[in-house]
Amino acid sequence: MTIQDLKSHNLILFEVISGSKSFGLSTPTSDTDIKGVYYLPKAQFYGLHYMPQISNETNDEVYYELGRFVELLLKNNPNILEILASPADCILYKHPLMERLQLQDFLSKLCKDSFAGYAMTQIKKARGLNKKIVNPLPKERKSLLDFCAILNGYDSVPLSKWLMEQNLFQEQCGLINVPNAKGIYAVFYDSDTTLGYRGIIKNELSNEVSVSSIPKGAEPIGYLSCNLEGYSKYCKEYAEYWDWIEKRNEERYNTNQQHGKNYDSKNMMHTIRLLQSAEQILATGTLNIRVSNRDELLAIKAGEMEYDALLQKADDLIASIENLYTVSDLPEVPDSEKLLGVLVEMREELYR
């Protein structure tokens, strides 16, 4: 089932313009994001093909099945509450039945953890991007050999340097494990390539060293230490970094490069906005997603604030949220029994 199927079969219950345009944060280059709610035909809902969510390839159009929508509302999911709180000028279509889902019935103290938790995820993402920007990884991939060293008394020598100084080739080396010494191997050398040693690694993509059958009485020429954990960590970071390079939004990346603050400024803007929304809910018992501090938030997006200052601002908002939580009149959680009853009534009317 596709979004077009939803529209052609009149299954859409709610459709809104979301994101920056609904928040009042759009600029001339902003995309138009669409979110919505649909219901499945009766046969699909009762059958084996329940589809909780449908989106287009770019994920800028996302629709939630009615049951999934209510489930996420009960959890005070920030994105879903914001859909229900869409300003009137952003609502493209609203089925009369959607009037039964009132925002006030879902707002609860759960927002402290759902909004603040999501905001902390954004901070973590911003920090992760900070690390990628500040510490770029060369395209040429390291091999396990780069994480090996030859022991030299109380010191060690990088394996590649040792091989070059000794005029040796890794392919002619043979290794055996040193008992009770994790990651330590005795190194032997086959100068005339008659002993069939397997080399230190099989190829550049090997994720473990090779061990060989060594003739009895052969003397090692050194002892090798292999940092396999370090290599595994590097491989993970390398894959993540170049996946990010391939998929990153170039316009957003260039903005981050231009302001030179080494953090994802758009993520940080949404972090502050989410925390301010949680503060608003606990302080007023309502949620108005059209921001009143557009200039401040766009300044954050433009990278006009220092990273440490933004983290301090986030910490101050979290402290305010904690204080408001203790005095808020909101319920601890939404009245799920009442709201699930509403959901059942809506389905009964839709399937009548």
Side-chain angles (χ1 to χ4, degrees), residues 42-258:
K42 187 174 182 178
Q44 269 192 274
F45 176 69
Y46 285 113
L48 299 176
H49 301 288
Y50 182 77
M51 298 183 68
Q53 180 176 318
I54 297 174
S55 60
N56 65 355
E57 291 183 356
T58 56
N59 277 325
D60 53 13
E61 294 185 29
V62 183
Y63 293 76
Y64 301 89
E65 208 284 325
L66 178 60
R68 177 62 172 162
F69 187 68
V70 171
E71 177 189 2
L72 293 172
L73 285 171
L74 288 170
K75 295 178 179 178
N76 277 203
N77 178 287
N79 291 330
I80 306 303
L81 283 175
E82 288 170 351
I83 294 173
L84 194 59
S86 295
D89 60 353
C90 288
I91 296 176
L92 302 175
Y93 173 73
K94 188 173 185 178
H95 190 288
L97 278 177
M98 287 298 293
E99 293 293 342
R100 301 192 186 184
L101 299 179
Q102 291 295 311
L103 180 66
Q104 299 304 124
D105 290 334
F106 291 97
L107 294 177
S108 74
K109 288 186 174 182
L110 284 178
C111 72
K112 176 176 81 75
D113 292 326
S114 62
F115 277 73
Y118 191 76
M120 294 310 293
T121 299
Q122 295 294 88
I123 290 175
K124 185 176 180 181
K125 284 175 67 176
R127 284 175 170 157
L129 181 60
N130 172 272
K131 183 178 179 181
K132 288 183 175 70
I133 293 173
V134 175
N135 302 298
L137 291 177
K139 183 64 176 176
E140 185 178 353
R141 188 177 181 276
K142 294 181 180 180
S143 78
L144 184 55
L145 294 179
D146 296 301
F147 293 80
C148 294
I150 298 296
L151 304 182
N152 182 20
Y154 294 107
D155 200 0
S156 64
V157 180
L159 175 63
S160 56
K161 179 180 179 182
W162 181 79
L163 289 171
M164 187 165 48
E165 289 176 346
Q166 302 295 322
N167 196 27
L168 303 176
F169 300 93
Q170 77 90 8
E171 296 82 358
Q172 292 172 235
C173 292
L175 303 182
I176 60 170
N177 296 92
V178 174
N180 304 314
K182 181 181 177 182
I184 304 297
Y185 302 84
V187 184
F188 300 82
Y189 197 73
D190 181 8
S191 57
D192 52 10
T193 65
T194 60
L195 299 175
Y197 290 168
R198 299 177 63 191
I200 297 174
I201 60 172
K202 184 177 181 180
N203 57 54
E204 290 296 309
L205 296 178
S206 297
N207 56 16
E208 61 182 7
V209 296
S210 302
V211 292
S212 300
S213 177
I214 307 298
K216 188 175 182 179
E219 291 293 328
I221 60 172
Y223 290 88
L224 178 143
S225 170
C226 177
N227 182 6
L228 191 57
E229 289 81 5
Y231 178 63
S232 296
K233 180 182 178 184
Y234 164 78
C235 289
K236 180 181 178 182
E237 291 177 349
Y238 180 91
E240 289 176 350
Y241 177 79
W242 286 101
D243 182 64
W244 168 71
I245 289 290
E246 181 181 345
K247 297 178 180 178
R248 72 187 177 193
N249 182 312
E250 287 302 318
E251 179 183 343
R252 187 161 163 182
Y253 174 73
N254 289 334
T255 297
N256 293 328
Q257 289 292 81
Q258 287 166 13

Side-chain angles (χ1 to χ4, degrees), residues 29-48:
T29 60
S30 295
D31 296 328
T32 298
D33 296 324
I34 304 294
K35 297 289 190 295
V37 181
Y38 65 94
Y39 73 99
L40 285 173
K42 187 174 182 178
Q44 269 192 274
F45 176 69
Y46 285 113
L48 299 176

